[in-house]
Amino acid sequence: MRYLRVAVHQDPAVRHPMHQYVVDHEGFDRSRLLQYVHATDGPSTFLFHVEGSDPDFDAYEAGLADLESVVDYELSRCPDDTAYLYVRETVPEYAADFVGAFAQPGLVGLLPIEYRADGTVRVTVVGPADQLQDAVDETPERMTVEVLEIGEYDARRLDAGGGLTDRQFEAVAAAVEVGYYATPREGSVAEVGERLDCAPGTAAELLRRAERSVMERVVSGEPV
């Protein structure tokens, strides 16, 4: 069983208007779909976490209110320039096509799904290799798929990894093995680099990026 993590690049014309809002307005970094309840007849229900640096949530909320597809919403602001968004929406047809490509029989989609300010949607799915390939091949028109990671599925590795790349995860694992995180510290960045066959500076950068990713999940309340 394999997992596949992709970045889906969408044309603005088929991008959800609130994702396009994040793309177009400074101060917003991404919105993450945390949970949803799909309805076959009527509006579906979604819970998002919207993140940024000094985002204008008043304007964001006004954009939500203008959408005909949105039946109801509630925005709960947090003290760290983020907000939780509860929304009931009749999903547009083009969005349903996108979801359908990665919700084929035999595939399991993992949450969260990230809608980023660079215009991409980050999705992780699990299943047999041939069906993962079918999902990539059957992406709707006006969307392209960039494969970010693919490998053997390990729920513990993905959940604990906090969105780490394979190389970042290897660096953290090596750091634990050499005692870099022990108290008092027993290992060094140079030793981590030796295990990874890379320069100490490269090892240090991998660890910094891994630590930042995990800490972002801690602050946002995600499991780590």
Side-chain angles (χ1 to χ4, degrees):
M1 182 171 54
R2 310 277 284 176
Y3 79 90
L4 173 70
R5 181 173 290 129
V6 298
V8 181
H9 300 257
Q10 298 174 291
D11 284 356
V14 297
R15 190 177 289 146
H16 190 281
M18 294 314 297
H19 185 194
Q20 187 62 42
Y21 188 96
V22 169
V23 173
D24 291 339
H25 293 79
E26 293 184 3
F28 291 89
D29 297 331
R30 59 181 177 173
S31 59
R32 295 181 300 117
L33 175 59
L34 304 179
Q35 295 290 342
Y36 69 95
V37 178
H38 176 67
T40 57
D41 183 16
S44 297
T45 306
F46 305 89
L47 178 65
F48 290 90
H49 186 231
V50 186
E51 304 174 8
S53 52
D54 195 25
D56 185 349
F57 281 121
D58 288 336
Y60 183 88
E61 193 167 356
L64 278 168
D66 287 341
L67 289 182
E68 293 183 2
S69 60
V70 172
V71 176
D72 188 24
Y73 75 88
E74 185 171 335
L75 194 69
S76 178
R77 305 188 192 191
C78 304
D80 59 351
D81 284 336
T82 70
Y84 286 96
L85 170 65
Y86 165 91
V87 60
R88 295 177 63 237
E89 181 180 21
T90 301
V91 179
E93 183 177 347
Y94 59 81
D97 290 342
F98 164 71
V99 172
F102 294 95
Q104 301 180 33
L107 293 183
V108 178
L110 303 184
L111 295 173
I113 298 173
E114 294 187 2
Y115 298 81
R116 296 199 170 197
D118 62 4
T120 64
V121 183
R122 303 294 178 98
V123 181
T124 302
V125 289
V126 174
D130 57 343
Q131 291 180 325
L132 292 174
Q133 185 61 54
D134 289 343
V136 173
D137 294 339
E138 295 176 16
T139 304
E141 294 182 4
R142 306 179 78 175
M143 301 181 189
T144 58
V145 175
E146 175 189 358
V147 176
L148 302 176
E149 293 183 56
I150 188 168
E152 286 299 318
Y153 176 65
D154 181 341
R156 183 186 60 80
R157 181 258 187 259
L158 285 178
D159 291 343
L164 306 186
T165 66
D166 285 343
R167 191 61 167 165
Q168 289 169 0
F169 189 82
E170 290 172 4
V172 172
V176 171
E177 290 173 359
V178 303
Y180 180 78
Y181 292 115
T183 305
R185 179 169 291 173
E186 299 172 357
S188 66
V189 169
E191 291 177 276
V192 175
E194 288 177 5
R195 296 214 174 199
L196 299 178
D197 194 24
C198 68
T202 301
E205 181 63 20
L206 287 168
L207 291 175
R208 278 196 296 270
R209 293 189 178 191
E211 291 161 1
R212 180 181 64 188
S213 181
V214 171
M215 290 304 103
E216 286 176 349
R217 289 174 68 95
V218 171
V219 171
S220 67
E222 288 187 64
V224 293

